[in-house]
Amino acid sequence: MKNRIIKWIDQRFPLTSFVKHDLTGYPTPRNLSYWWNFGFLAGFVLMLQVATGIFLAMHYKADVTLSFDSIQHIMRDVNYGWLLRFMHATGASAFFLVIYIHMARTLYYGSYRAPRELMWWTGQGLLLMLMATAFMGYLLPWGQMSFWGATVITNLFRATPFIGEQVVTWLRGDYAVGDATLTRFFALHYLLPFLIIGGVVVHLVALHTVKSSNPSGIDLAAKDNIPFHPYFTIKDLYGLGIFLIVYCIFVFFLPNSLIEPANNIPANPMQTPTHIVPEWYFLPFYAILRSVPNLVGGVVAMGLSVMVFSFMPYLDRSHIPGGAHYRPWYRVTFYLFVADMLVLGYVGYTPPTNQSIVMGQVATFFYFILFMLLPFISKAEERWLIRRGLPPDVEAMIAGEAKEKSKLPQRRRRGDIT
Amino acid sequence: MKKLIVVLMLYCSTSPVWATDAKLENIQVETSVQAVERGVDDLMNNCHSCHSLKYIKYRDLATFGIDKKKIDEWRGDQPIDAPLAGLMSDEAAMQSFGLVPPDLSLMTKAREGGASYVYSYLLGYYNTPEGMTGNHIFPETKMPDPLGISSATEPAQRDELRKTAHDIVSFLSWAADPHEQERHRLGYYVIGYLVILTLLLYFVKNQVWSKLK
């Protein structure tokens, strides 16, 4: 009976071949480390956010006079409303943490290089949509930080040439952040996750065309690829367990550590908080914005600091495999970049003082300089590594994989492999 | 390069200047029904004439296990589902203080330092040489010393006020996050379950991967 149903479907829809091609039989490099778990985790958190978000939307009211109260209604009166809300609020941080690790892995292992540029660029688009979704979701509780954060960020569009004022008014739906802004942010906050799901599908189709990269950076021969199921389904589930433990520690024991105290005060347009800070995941970019004294310059620098990742396939001119693993100079660059991000995050968090402003400017300068020097560093490093030779085990591995691949057509002809 | 790193490290080591410079006294709030009950009692006597707690209803106090007779006393002829509204009208407050006293439902969550901030603030009043009262924690405050700590000189009396402030803050902490205890209780079960599940998944993973040559 079951077989007959599947056969009936298969004649009309490629079900079995899809499952075989993309799930059970999908060839995956066997040497993937746990850093390759984070793409799956990002997908999981996306589903978690959509699920909790839909239930929150059933009780939330997008109206400036009601939204703060409706959050308290969810927190106090709705059955397990506090759990839904803390899962969703903590989920936003978890999403960015997972995505930042996913990106750091891509940068470290050079996974953005050919033929995976489209994966990197669709990922960049997903990051932008995630940032927009998080920013708009942050307005919804209508607390002090929600209101002032949205005011500061929408104000940045004043930097648009010629029509700055009009663009800001158009975005807000009013001259100031108000009811019109809240309702449209709610509508878009509900829409964007579904666009993100669409983007993820494109990201995955691209992945299944070019297949996963791996820590060696070498395109592995068939014998070193294993089917996704059961090997990576179980490995992803184990990683998910570890992730959920960390996530639940925050949800159940430290949920308020991720919520600014000022956001527990209802929005008051007449009273500016002493110190406006974004959520932790925007701090480095916020620091870059503040480090440039001029509004237009700051906005351009901030936009560029996010978009500069797209250029990585061109900025990195080395063809040495394995990303930072076999490339000592690139490795140093990578760690300097991570350290610079942390410094920028710290600068974004502290109220501006003479010291922190200088520190932010140095770190901003350093941020862009690292990207600008990368073409020269990577090319010089490639020449140096070719002259010096790769470690013998890497050379052996490259030779082995190449030999394995050249054998493949003959063996297939002889019928060794089905 | 080295110089740059040294400069950056030096910057990292200096602490930024925060809005409140005064030191907070760090406290642990009590979560027992008795402490919270004492806290509501003290709040009704000292704070409720001006401040509301609009997200707390009298029924919530009853559900938490506070003495029914006391609740009836506090609410008078208000229905059990009425919120703890302040007794002072906004207009009267504007006339006396120039602002509406803030709602206290979320007070321990709405300040950097949380319960410790509110506790230190309540006990932070002192007499200025001009015969006025000031506050170490929040100098711009418009609220007159509610507990009378600035005029209490006897150590026994001061200890009594400390206890009162502690109880009030314990109640406010509960009011800001009434599901906290339930959350922690559930959290232990959830995390315990996840630890066992993850261990099992780890063993299954090793089992599956051991079949690979």
Side-chain angles (χ1 to χ4, degrees):
Chain A
M1 185 61 196
K2 199 180 143 209
N3 283 343
R4 272 177 57 198
I5 293 172
I6 289 178
K7 208 173 151 196
W8 187 90
I9 295 173
D10 274 338
Q11 284 164 348
R12 292 153 179 84
F13 182 87
L15 181 67
T16 307
S17 62
F18 171 78
V19 169
K20 200 167 169 223
H21 181 263
D22 292 293
L23 293 168
T24 52
Y26 175 64
T28 313
R30 63 185 289 170
N31 61 343
L32 295 189
S33 67
Y34 281 103
W35 295 114
W36 266 260
N37 277 40
F38 287 87
F40 166 76
L41 289 179
F44 179 83
V45 181
L46 173 61
M47 290 304 131
L48 201 65
Q49 289 299 83
V50 169
T52 52
I54 286 171
F55 283 98
L56 285 173
M58 292 177 192
H59 303 282
Y60 172 76
K61 297 206 166 42
D63 180 313
V64 288
T65 56
L66 300 173
S67 58
F68 193 89
D69 289 349
S70 73
I71 300 281
Q72 288 309 314
H73 167 66
I74 290 169
M75 290 294 288
R76 289 159 194 272
D77 303 330
V78 175
N79 288 333
Y80 292 99
W82 56 268
L83 181 59
L84 283 173
R85 197 250 176 154
F86 280 148
M87 280 174 77
H88 198 72
T90 311
S93 284
F95 208 155
F96 275 95
L97 181 71
V98 165
I99 285 294
Y100 285 160
I101 295 176
H102 189 57
M103 288 175 69
R105 189 272 292 155
T106 310
L107 288 171
Y108 184 90
Y109 287 102
S111 309
Y112 49 80
R113 295 195 287 185
R116 297 188 180 80
E117 298 96 327
L118 271 182
M119 294 217 60
W120 183 236
W121 292 332
T122 49
Q124 172 92 55
L126 287 169
L127 174 69
L128 291 182
M129 285 200 276
L130 174 64
M131 285 177 154
T133 311
F135 164 66
M136 288 192 274
Y138 196 57
L139 182 69
L140 305 187
W142 202 248
Q144 270 290 66
M145 215 47 98
S146 302
F147 176 84
W148 289 98
T151 301
V152 168
I153 300 301
T154 47
N155 226 341
L156 297 179
F157 288 87
R158 234 170 262 284
T160 318
F162 308 118
I163 47 163
E165 292 292 329
Q166 285 90 324
V167 169
V168 174
T169 314
W170 178 71
L171 284 173
R172 290 176 179 168
D174 201 341
Y175 295 107
V177 172
D179 203 49
T181 325
L182 181 64
T183 43
R184 67 183 50 196
F185 275 29
F186 180 54
L188 293 173
H189 184 73
Y190 208 115
L191 165 72
L192 275 173
F194 296 99
L195 298 185
I196 291 180
I197 292 173
V200 168
V201 170
V202 177
H203 197 65
L204 286 178
V205 169
L207 172 70
H208 285 226
T209 308
V210 296
K211 308 284 188 277
S212 285
S213 64
N214 70 78
S216 78
I218 303 157
D219 200 13
L220 296 181
K223 80 166 172 63
D224 291 319
N225 283 297
I226 50 178
F228 191 81
H229 180 75
Y231 298 106
F232 287 97
T233 36
I234 187 63
K235 196 174 172 180
D236 278 344
L237 282 177
Y238 167 55
L240 178 64
I242 303 275
F243 165 80
L244 282 177
I245 291 172
V246 177
Y247 172 72
C248 284
I249 288 173
F250 275 93
V251 169
F252 287 99
F253 296 97
L254 302 163
N256 291 310
S257 66
L258 297 166
I259 297 173
E260 267 302 312
N263 230 24
N264 285 309
I265 304 170
N268 181 358
M270 312 305 282
Q271 190 186 47
T272 320
T274 43
H275 176 206
I276 301 174
V277 277
E279 295 288 86
W280 69 266
Y281 38 82
F282 289 138
L283 287 175
F285 308 110
Y286 184 61
I288 289 178
L289 170 77
R290 282 201 314 195
S291 292
V292 183
N294 162 292
L295 172 72
V296 177
V299 173
V300 170
M302 182 173 72
L304 207 60
S305 68
V306 182
M307 294 309 294
V308 73
F309 294 106
S310 320
F311 299 107
M312 278 307 288
Y314 301 115
L315 295 177
D316 183 0
R317 291 165 69 209
S318 166
H319 294 94
I320 303 293
H325 201 55
Y326 301 130
R327 299 169 55 190
W329 298 6
Y330 181 71
R331 194 161 61 227
V332 172
T333 321
F334 173 82
Y335 285 123
L336 282 176
F337 171 73
V338 172
D340 193 51
M341 272 300 220
L342 296 178
V343 172
L344 281 169
Y346 170 79
V347 172
Y349 184 69
T350 56
T353 58
N354 286 340
Q355 266 182 13
S356 75
I357 288 171
V358 174
M359 189 165 141
Q361 286 171 344
V362 171
T364 302
F365 179 72
F366 199 63
Y367 184 97
F368 289 107
I369 277 293
L370 274 178
F371 281 102
M372 275 190 248
L373 288 181
L374 190 58
F376 308 104
I377 296 175
S378 55
K379 202 72 204 169
E381 181 196 50
E382 185 186 35
R383 278 197 216 104
W384 175 70
L385 278 173
I386 287 172
R387 219 180 320 123
R388 208 188 56 140
L390 288 170
D393 50 322
V394 185
E395 297 276 16
M397 189 174 173
I398 295 174
E401 292 296 329
K403 204 169 137 203
E404 200 55 49
K405 266 181 242 164
S406 65
K407 266 200 312 214
L408 204 62
Q410 289 168 356
R411 277 169 61 185
R412 190 175 281 153
R413 233 174 287 131
R414 286 207 310 270
D416 289 357
I417 305 174
T418 45
Chain B
M1 190 65 233
K2 244 185 205 160
K3 250 189 206 158
L4 185 72
I5 291 173
V6 170
V7 168
L8 286 178
M9 274 165 63
L10 274 177
Y11 276 134
C12 290
S13 63
T14 53
S15 67
V17 183
W18 295 104
T20 337
D21 292 327
K23 263 262 193 286
L24 299 183
E25 193 178 330
N26 278 315
I27 56 153
Q28 285 290 327
V29 293
E30 277 184 68
T31 52
S32 67
V33 178
Q34 292 81 6
V36 171
E37 185 170 314
R38 287 197 305 270
V40 199
D41 217 352
D42 292 333
L43 179 125
M44 286 294 175
N45 293 331
N46 296 301
C47 322
H48 188 230
S49 51
C50 302
H51 290 281
S52 62
L53 277 95
K54 62 174 173 176
Y55 297 121
I56 295 292
K57 299 182 199 79
Y58 289 102
R59 185 187 293 283
D60 299 331
L61 300 176
T63 317
F64 185 62
I66 284 167
D67 190 7
K68 205 82 174 150
K69 261 189 261 146
K70 280 193 168 171
I71 296 174
D72 288 339
E73 228 170 84
W74 293 323
R75 74 183 168 100
D77 51 3
Q78 297 175 76
I80 186 96
D81 275 322
L84 273 68
L87 301 177
M88 196 181 223
S89 73
D90 288 359
E91 293 78 33
M94 281 303 278
Q95 267 197 344
S96 327
F97 305 110
L99 53 79
V100 179
D103 186 84
L104 296 182
S105 316
L106 285 163
M107 193 44 81
T108 57
K109 271 176 150 189
R111 294 291 180 275
E112 204 80 52
S116 299
Y117 175 93
V118 180
Y119 177 79
S120 309
Y121 166 63
L122 285 175
L123 298 176
Y125 284 92
Y126 62 95
N127 282 317
T128 59
E130 297 88 49
M132 311 278 282
T133 52
N135 190 296
H136 292 296
I137 306 296
F138 183 33
E140 303 86 13
T141 187
K142 295 263 172 61
M143 179 166 81
D145 182 1
L147 303 180
I149 188 83
S150 57
S151 52
T153 42
E154 296 290 316
Q157 203 184 352
R158 289 187 79 86
D159 280 349
E160 191 61 33
L161 291 179
R162 279 172 180 282
K163 223 177 120 7
T164 306
H166 199 276
D167 287 340
I168 291 177
V169 170
S170 295
F171 165 63
L172 287 178
S173 273
W174 170 80
D177 200 351
H179 293 289
E180 192 182 26
Q181 289 181 52
E182 185 192 0
R183 195 175 78 225
H184 288 179
R185 206 168 46 240
L186 191 61
Y188 287 116
Y189 284 111
V190 170
I191 290 170
Y193 171 83
L194 282 172
V195 168
I196 295 169
L197 177 73
T198 307
L199 264 177
L200 290 175
L201 286 170
Y202 177 69
F203 291 132
V204 175
K205 188 234 151 207
N206 282 352
Q207 173 71 20
V208 167
W209 279 70
S210 68
K211 287 179 195 144
L212 264 185
K213 285 182 285 292

